[in-house]
Amino acid sequence: MKKIIDEKFLWGGSSSAYQIEGGWNADGKEPSVQDVKTYIPAGTTDFKVASDHYHHWKEDVKMMSEAGFRSYRFSISWTRVWSFKNNQPNQPGIKFYNDLIDELIKYKIEPIITMYHFDLPDFLQQQGGWLSRSTIDEFAKYAQLLVENFGHKVKYWLTINEQNMMALVPEAVLGQKATMKDIYQCNHHMFLAQAKAMKIVHQLSKSLVGPAPNINVIYPNTNTPDDYLAAINCANIRNWYYLDLPIFGKYNTIVLDLLEKNNSMFDIEKGDMEILTDPLAKPDFIAFNYYATGTVKSSDENNAVASKGGDQHSKSGVKGYFEQVKNPNLAKTQFGWEIDPVGFKTTMLELTTRYNLPLILTENGIGGYDELDANNEINDQYRIDYYTAHFKQMFEAMEMGVDLIGYNPWSAIDLVSTHEGIKKRYGFIFVNRTEDDLKDLKRYPKKSFYWYKEVIKNNGKNIK
Ligand code: BG6
């Protein structure tokens, strides 16, 4: 059935707490793993001030409303709302998010909230992080705190941002490498934490909840049978492992086989599968982040590669299963990421045929160098071109039956990239600072801001 974009479609923008907020130790906030990161490259900012949204949130929401946003996807900082030191909620942090949510609602902007976006409390990391089962219960307690405080105002919850990227490129977000068994043990614990959180949302509120992995289709490098097998392997290891379990209640067998062959099967305790298959722990929708497709070739035992420098789109591979290669058919961003609008459509088609659930796009976008010109304007035509190409494919996907309920690109406002600083800008709104100079942190709408406003107003009908 065709889906038409109407006034209910959630056009918006996206962010995450540690990349936008700053105020890293303000009003009782305790450190997350991002605040204590030690491997930030020279010449790249840390996350202490970021875009200083903690002190500019009112103005930021007003600008989102001026652009006509109908939704805003952001994350809550766990260590802002819970004090591990005092073992109790941190009330100023709860107030911050209550005020932010109320302000969004005042402007008729639907909050879409990620519970956890790469910023595990350092307190928990010190006790073993996701390798420790106690983090599962801490996450459930945290989810309950969120739903009890904000659940009556929030219709859409997302559990964990890009669990698959944390597993595939652990050094990108966690700053450390890990063994295969440890990675999948962490994954198992995150699945349990997610299942408990989904059940809590369903039990305590009328809200909807879904996972938020990074999903893209995978191309074989050539039409050889071995490369096609590598593409299947990669798609299962990278994508489907993270959705099959919450949606079908079954672990993906291709990945279990990989773990057994590598002597890396994780431990499943008695009662775990009951938690994972609880009907109340099923997602209502799939939120997904899409940047570009992947291309892979077969990998023999000896040529597997590790991702480079913590970049999620650099080469990666799993020995004997696949090796990621460049796709010469695709253009690239200024930061070397491939651009594939058609892949956006095929990714949605594949998600729909496989899972048949509503979709919400929670990240898509282009990182580039933006600068204020002499008139204090920012001409980011390249961003408009990127979105135009993606919107055309998005409309076609919806015509073909994809039930997409919202589009929340990365990012609403300039923020600090996971590993490439503030110079890699993603926003519709420019934030006046550099890596080492905070300047005045003033906000300026970019050319794309005005363009996106027209798109939203016309529900995309002005895109030619
Ligand atoms: C997504 C993450 O993977 O990609 C975001 O959820 C991230 O947190 C975004 O910022 C863009 O990646 P990067 O590395 O350019 O910041």
Side-chain angles (χ1 to χ4, degrees), residues 14-16 18-19 73 117-118 161-162 165 172-173 212 214 289 291 310-313 335 337 362-363 365 367 410-411 415-421 424 426:
S14 200
S15 75
S16 89
Y18 82 96
Q19 294 175 274
R73 179 259 182 163
H117 191 127
F118 299 164
N161 180 69
E162 295 194 352
M165 287 297 114
V173 285
N214 179 313
N289 301 345
Y291 286 92
D311 190 311
Q312 52 174 285
H313 285 273
F335 283 81
W337 288 20
T362 40
E363 285 184 41
W410 193 262
S411 53
L415 38 69
V416 182
S417 144
T418 55
H419 66 295
E420 288 179 299
K424 190 181 193 184
Y426 280 94

Side-chain angles (χ1 to χ4, degrees), residues 220 222-233 296-299 321:
T222 67
N223 61 4
T224 59
D226 281 350
D227 279 356
Y228 183 59
L229 177 60
I232 290 182
N233 286 336
V296 298
K297 64 177 186 176
S298 63
S299 150
Y321 281 75

Side-chain angles (χ1 to χ4, degrees), residues 279-311:
L280 281 174
K282 283 211 176 313
D284 302 295
F285 58 83
I286 299 171
F288 74 107
N289 301 345
Y290 173 85
Y291 286 92
T293 46
T295 304
V296 298
K297 64 177 186 176
S298 63
S299 150
D300 67 30
E301 288 301 312
N302 303 315
N303 67 353
V305 284
S307 70
K308 256 193 279 167
D311 190 311

